[in-house]
């Protein structure tokens, strides 16, 4: 049976993470309150931020920034967007014909 949690991001009962995303109290909090889908969506957003803002993840300030953005993301607050990011269209030109 799949474990579920009430996801604070999507405000509904969804499939839970298989394990805490990182050690410590923050990882446990995420494990108990964030769905697998919300975590995947965060990872995609985080990747865009790292790439578009040219963040160095070994830099303390960059990691601090990403943790602040993650907290905002999961609580439903406005988060920074990657400037210049254009989502890939789900249709190809041949689909429009």
């Amino acid at each position: 049976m799949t474990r579920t949690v009430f996801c604070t991001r999507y405000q509904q009962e969804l499939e839970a993470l298989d394990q805490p995303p990182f050690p410590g109290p923050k990882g446990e909090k995420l494990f108990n309150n964030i769905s697998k889908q919300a975590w995947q969506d965060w990872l995609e957003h985080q990747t865009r931020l790292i790439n578009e803002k040219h963040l160095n993840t070994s830099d303390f300030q960059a990691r601090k920034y990403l943790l602040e953005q993650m907290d905002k993301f999961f609580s439903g607050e406005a988060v920074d967007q990657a400037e210049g990011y254009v989502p890939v269209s789900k249709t190809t030109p041949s689909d429009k014909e």
Side-chain angles (χ1 to χ4, degrees):
M1 185 167 163
T2 303
R3 186 176 82 89
T4 62
V5 294
F6 185 80
C7 180
T8 56
R9 169 78 177 166
Y10 295 120
Q11 295 295 301
Q12 59 182 312
E13 197 76 21
L14 294 168
E15 184 178 354
L17 293 166
D18 296 327
Q19 61 188 25
F22 39 84
K26 188 153 192 101
E28 284 298 319
K29 182 179 178 184
L30 292 170
F31 180 66
N32 292 319
N33 297 290
I34 298 300
S35 68
K36 192 178 274 191
Q37 181 60 52
W39 182 253
Q40 186 61 42
D41 292 346
W42 163 248
L43 292 178
E44 291 172 12
H45 184 73
Q46 175 182 249
T47 300
R48 284 193 297 274
L49 289 175
I50 291 168
N51 290 340
E52 296 297 325
K53 294 182 178 288
H54 307 284
L55 299 176
N56 177 351
T57 56
S58 64
D59 176 60
F60 173 78
Q61 290 300 323
R63 289 193 314 271
K64 181 179 174 190
Y65 167 76
L66 289 171
L67 285 173
E68 290 168 355
Q69 291 300 302
M70 181 181 71
D71 289 342
K72 288 180 179 182
F73 183 86
F74 289 133
S75 66
E77 295 178 47
V79 294
D80 290 350
Q81 299 298 314
E83 297 88 15
Y85 172 73
V86 178
V88 176
S89 173
K90 295 196 187 265
T91 60
T92 61
S94 62
D95 291 341
K96 295 178 184 176
E97 297 175 0

